[in-house]
């Protein structure tokens, strides 16, 4: 996958140029959500963003470079939202509030389009190695946020010492992705809630409170 430009060229952008680049990325992101990566052409993006061919190629050498920019655009928004929620988790109720926020956001489109990152991974992973690796780095970051949240619960004594944050976080992220897919297929976000609830129930099984009651 080609790069859209080095740091020096990015710094040379005028405010007008930066605004044009942002408009192209936002248009490409919306089109790729609605009709998929493969079906989105550079001509489509030019029309949707109101830019010329020369303007588009000034910022992106080819479609691969634009796809890379869209991945980064989505990751920045998604992971910022995840971080805001997960950094506040200090109880099992906090995990439920994190779940509620994701399900409610997904319900705004009745589950359509799925996970912003997962949907792109489904499209490009088998034929775009660079794109797959880029998405993988962002999934690693997301997974680490979940690991940190669960480890925090263990440190605070909410969970027992034998709870494995990495294993539980992998199960939780897998449930989120499966839930996104089920909601996308059925247009029913309740299925996403059920999938994530099962993973949270697994974490709850390590509750220090429940162990003292047995």
């Amino acid at each position: 996958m080609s790069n859209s430009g080095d740091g020096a060229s990015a710094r040379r952008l005028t405010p007008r140029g930066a605004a044009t680049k942002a408009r192209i990325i936002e248009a490409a992101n919306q089109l790729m959500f609605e009709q998929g990566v493969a079906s989105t052409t550079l001509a489509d993006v030019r029309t949707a963003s109101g830019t010329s061919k020369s303007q588009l190629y000034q910022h992106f050498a080819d479609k691969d470079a634009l796809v890379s920019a869209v991945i980064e655009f989505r990751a920045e928004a998604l992971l910022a939202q995840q971080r805001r929620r997960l950094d506040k988790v200090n109880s099992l109720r906090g995990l439920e509030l994190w779940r509620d926020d994701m399900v409610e956001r997904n319900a705004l489109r009745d589950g359509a389009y799925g996970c912003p990152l997962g949907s792109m991974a489904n499209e490009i992973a088998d034929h775009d190695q660079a794109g797959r690796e880029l998405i993988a780095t962002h999934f690693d970051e997301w997974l680490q946020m979940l690991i940190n949240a669960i480890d925090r619960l263990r440190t605070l004594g909410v969970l027992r010492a034998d709870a494995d944050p990495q294993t539980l976080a992998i199960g939780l992220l897998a449930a989120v992705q499966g839930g996104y897919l089920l909601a996308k297929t059925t247009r029913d976000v309740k299925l996403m809630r059920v999938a994530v609830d099962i993973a949270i129930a697994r974490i709850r099984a390590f509750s220090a409170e429940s162990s003292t009651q047995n």
Side-chain angles (χ1 to χ4, degrees):
M1 182 176 290
S2 304
N3 294 323
S4 58
D6 58 23
S9 63
R11 287 193 295 272
R12 288 197 296 269
L13 282 180
T14 64
R16 183 176 180 179
T20 298
K21 183 176 182 180
R23 191 166 73 251
I24 293 169
I25 294 172
E26 289 168 5
N29 176 58
Q30 188 62 34
L31 287 169
M32 289 176 189
F33 254 133
E34 294 174 355
Q35 59 192 40
V37 175
S39 297
T40 297
T41 67
L42 293 181
D44 292 334
V45 175
R46 291 199 306 271
T47 299
S49 61
T51 53
S52 65
K53 182 180 290 189
S54 63
Q55 285 177 307
L56 190 147
Y57 282 108
Q58 179 182 358
H59 299 289
F60 303 101
D62 52 28
K63 184 177 176 180
D64 284 348
L66 183 55
V67 169
S68 178
V70 170
I71 290 171
E72 295 288 10
F73 178 81
R74 292 189 184 188
E76 181 179 357
L78 174 64
L79 296 180
Q81 181 270 327
Q82 287 290 305
R83 188 175 293 106
R84 282 194 297 271
R85 280 291 181 179
L86 290 170
D87 283 355
K88 296 177 182 178
V89 170
N90 56 18
S91 65
L92 291 171
R93 177 57 181 157
L95 277 180
E96 293 172 345
L97 292 173
W98 162 77
R99 172 210 61 201
D100 290 346
D101 184 61
M102 278 194 304
V103 172
E104 288 166 8
R105 286 172 181 270
N106 202 24
L108 296 175
R109 293 181 172 180
D110 293 324
Y113 311 122
C115 172
L117 286 180
S119 60
M120 290 195 81
N122 287 335
E123 281 200 75
I124 72 174
D126 291 336
H127 58 80
D128 184 345
Q129 178 73 5
R132 181 194 64 76
E133 290 176 353
L134 182 58
I135 292 174
T137 63
H138 293 306
F139 267 108
D140 285 344
E141 186 177 352
W142 192 354
L143 178 62
Q144 189 60 54
M145 292 180 200
L146 291 166
I147 291 172
N148 292 344
I150 295 171
D151 188 52
R152 189 181 313 118
L153 295 181
R154 190 174 63 172
T155 300
L156 292 172
V158 175
L159 300 178
R160 301 195 310 266
D162 62 331
D164 181 352
Q166 183 172 14
T167 299
L168 295 172
I170 290 171
L172 196 52
L173 185 54
V176 168
Q177 291 305 307
Y180 268 121
L181 179 58
L182 288 171
K184 178 180 179 179
T185 304
T186 64
R187 295 296 190 267
D188 185 355
V189 296
K190 292 193 294 294
L191 300 183
M192 180 182 185
R193 178 180 291 273
V194 170
V196 179
D197 279 349
I198 291 171
I200 291 177
R202 174 60 177 160
I203 297 171
R204 191 182 297 279
F206 287 93
S207 169
E209 181 179 338
S210 64
S211 67
T212 60
Q213 295 173 351
N214 295 331

